[in-house]
Amino acid sequence: MNVTVLGAGIVGICVATTLQQEGHSVTLIDRDEPGTGCSFGNAGMIQCSSVVPLATPGVVGAVPRMLLDPKQPLVIRWDALAHLFPFLMRFLAAARPAKVEEISAALATIVPRAYDAYEPLLRAAGAHNLVRKAGELYVYKSTASFTGGGFPHELRRRQGIKVQDIPLKDLYDLEPALARDFKHAVYLPESYQTADPLEISKALVKLFVGLGGKLARETVNDIVIGPDGPKYVETNVARHKIDRLVLAMGAYSGALARKLGSPVPLRGERGYHLMLPDPGVSLRTSVISGDYKFGIVQMQHGIRLAGTAELARLDAAPNHDRARRLLPLAQEILPGLGGAEAKPWMGHRPSMPDSLPVICRSPRHRAVYFAFGHGHSGLTLGAMTGRIIGDLVAGRTPELDIAPFDVRRFG
């Protein structure tokens, strides 16, 4: 078939590469270079233990702090509150205990398979050496933080995820670079770290093009819909005839999804990182601060501090102080961590209020497929999304129940 994939983030790249491998003729369209949007700036982790949604019990009480305290891991900009209100209502509804268990169970059907889905793609792209099994190490300087943060780990255990309590006598064998004043540690062994997420994207795009895939650096302006469904994708350069269409434009998918008959409560969650090119220390594992709620990860060109976010309008100016404030906190965790020439960055995570992506066939147009809304799990679920879309395009039944990821859950 002829398949047009809109969006060249890691999800769109994995979808396009998988379809090209299966013998389809695929055109991948994006206004930017592949992998340079939100996929560039993530923490580089394929988190096979990531079954905890963003909205959990207790989040209702945290909302005032998100509005009033700029130091919170997730903040809400006042000037976007009216715009965000419908999303926030759904977000709070998703935090009900029974709903959290339901969402977590859905994530547990797809997330643990994430690396297994990537492995054949990485091998085919000659990029297997860009990923290593590093695990996630949660460290706590405060017993209060450890006790208060216990729910996510218990939720993981209920979903069958490996969660290991690390005795302090073993902590520094696992990660020697840590400060010596931690009181608790928890390790999730089933997590993988990339040397550089952009290099992963580049390697997969090279494979895609090598298989005959077409890459179009164009801005998508519209989808022309006829009596029988979508007919053309109009860009600033050309009009592309549609045979099969995959919408994978991340945080920018909402308007086109609405035009295709499936309005979604998608919002851009602004994620920040701070890249330290000369950190002076190195890490064996990926470290998560249980006290301050951000990650410290080793990459090919330094250490990245990531995890702080805010809810705002897509076109709002970035607040890079959100990234810079992570450096002194990280220096408490890693003594000797250098911050010279630190580079802040901001990108738009495509977030759904229930933390579940949209991966399905369009209920309105049988030639259209949706692959967006992955939130914090775009890199993690890129290859699994490609595999599912590949099954749907080919008319095969996917290997897991994708009903929880259907766009019709929003009515």
Side-chain angles (χ1 to χ4, degrees):
M1 300 179 189
N2 295 313
V3 186
T4 303
V5 179
L6 305 184
I10 189 61
V11 172
I13 291 168
C14 287
V15 169
T17 304
T18 300
L19 292 172
Q20 192 68 36
Q21 281 187 315
E22 294 202 357
H24 303 293
S25 177
V26 184
T27 300
L28 179 61
I29 303 176
D30 199 302
R31 66 184 181 184
D32 298 319
E33 286 291 331
T36 58
C38 188
S39 300
F40 164 83
N42 58 58
M45 299 166 69
I46 300 172
Q47 296 176 287
C48 298
S49 304
S50 184
V51 299
V52 180
L54 194 59
T56 55
V59 74
V60 176
V63 168
R65 293 196 299 276
M66 295 179 192
L67 285 163
L68 299 171
D69 184 357
K71 295 181 180 179
Q72 290 296 306
L74 174 64
V75 300
I76 303 169
R77 285 201 182 183
W78 275 100
D79 59 1
L81 191 56
H83 169 71
L84 292 168
F85 189 77
F87 175 92
L88 291 173
M89 290 301 98
R90 288 181 179 268
F91 181 77
L92 295 176
R96 290 175 288 122
K99 191 65 177 175
V100 170
E101 296 288 339
E102 177 187 323
I103 292 168
S104 182
L107 290 171
T109 68
I110 187 170
V111 167
R113 309 174 192 226
Y115 179 73
D116 290 342
Y118 264 110
E119 191 171 31
L121 285 179
L122 295 173
R123 289 194 182 279
H128 200 261
N129 63 322
L130 292 176
V131 178
R132 64 188 177 93
K133 192 172 186 179
E136 296 175 56
L137 180 61
Y138 286 73
V139 291
Y140 303 83
K141 291 193 173 188
S142 159
T143 296
S145 296
F146 175 68
T147 304
F151 174 79
H153 297 314
E154 290 307 313
L155 184 59
R156 293 182 180 101
R157 287 187 171 102
R158 287 199 293 276
Q159 299 301 344
I161 300 299
K162 293 180 183 177
V163 180
Q164 301 171 357
D165 291 315
I166 302 298
L168 291 182
K169 65 182 179 62
D170 299 328
L171 175 60
Y172 302 104
D173 291 332
L174 187 60
E175 185 48 76
L178 290 170
R180 294 304 193 258
D181 56 351
F182 288 99
K183 295 182 178 178
H184 305 276
V186 176
Y187 185 60
L188 310 181
E190 300 302 321
S191 185
Y192 296 77
Q193 181 66 50
T194 67
D196 186 329
L198 181 58
E199 291 303 314
I200 296 288
S201 294
K202 287 180 176 179
L204 293 178
V205 167
K206 184 178 179 180
L207 173 63
F208 166 71
V209 173
L211 292 168
K214 301 170 187 174
L215 191 60
R217 178 87 180 271
E218 301 172 20
T219 300
V220 176
N221 292 329
D222 198 9
I223 295 175
V224 178
I225 301 177
D228 300 322
K231 294 173 62 66
Y232 301 99
V233 172
E234 288 192 341
T235 75
N236 62 323
V237 173
R239 171 178 273 200
H240 300 268
K241 188 177 184 302
I242 294 172
D243 181 6
R244 296 288 188 272
L245 178 71
V246 181
L247 178 59
M249 292 176 61
Y252 299 91
S253 300
L256 291 180
R258 188 181 309 111
K259 178 155 191 178
L260 291 164
S262 295
V264 290
L266 175 69
R267 291 293 181 270
E269 179 195 332
R270 298 147 63 86
Y272 290 85
H273 82 224
L274 191 69
M275 192 69 198
L276 310 178
D278 187 20
V281 298
S282 61
L283 295 174
R284 294 180 180 176
T285 185
S286 301
V287 175
I288 313 295
S289 169
D291 303 284
Y292 302 124
K293 315 299 184 190
F294 72 97
I296 309 173
V297 294
Q298 181 72 52
M299 292 196 171
Q300 182 173 307
H301 301 296
I303 282 180
R304 180 169 292 179
L305 314 180
T308 185
E310 65 184 356
L311 291 170
R313 290 184 174 275
L314 271 176
D315 57 356
N319 175 13
H320 287 307
D321 284 345
R322 289 200 50 77
R324 293 188 182 98
R325 65 172 290 271
L326 297 178
L327 179 58
L329 302 178
Q331 288 170 329
E332 292 180 20
I333 296 166
L334 300 177
L337 180 67
E341 300 184 30
K343 297 180 177 67
W345 175 91
M346 186 276 289
H348 300 283
R349 293 190 186 103
S351 289
M352 309 301 293
D354 59 3
S355 298
L356 295 176
V358 175
I359 312 171
C360 66
R361 194 171 203 158
S362 164
R364 184 69 64 88
H365 304 291
R366 301 300 291 169
V368 175
Y369 307 84
F370 295 143
F372 58 81
H374 292 70
H376 292 235
S377 297
L379 178 61
T380 296
L381 292 178
M384 274 302 301
T385 302
R387 184 177 287 186
I388 292 168
I389 296 297
D391 286 338
L392 294 176
V393 170
R396 300 187 298 262
T397 300
E399 62 190 86
L400 67 149
D401 179 11
I402 63 170
F405 314 115
D406 197 298
V407 72
R408 285 172 289 191
R409 70 186 188 267
F410 301 113

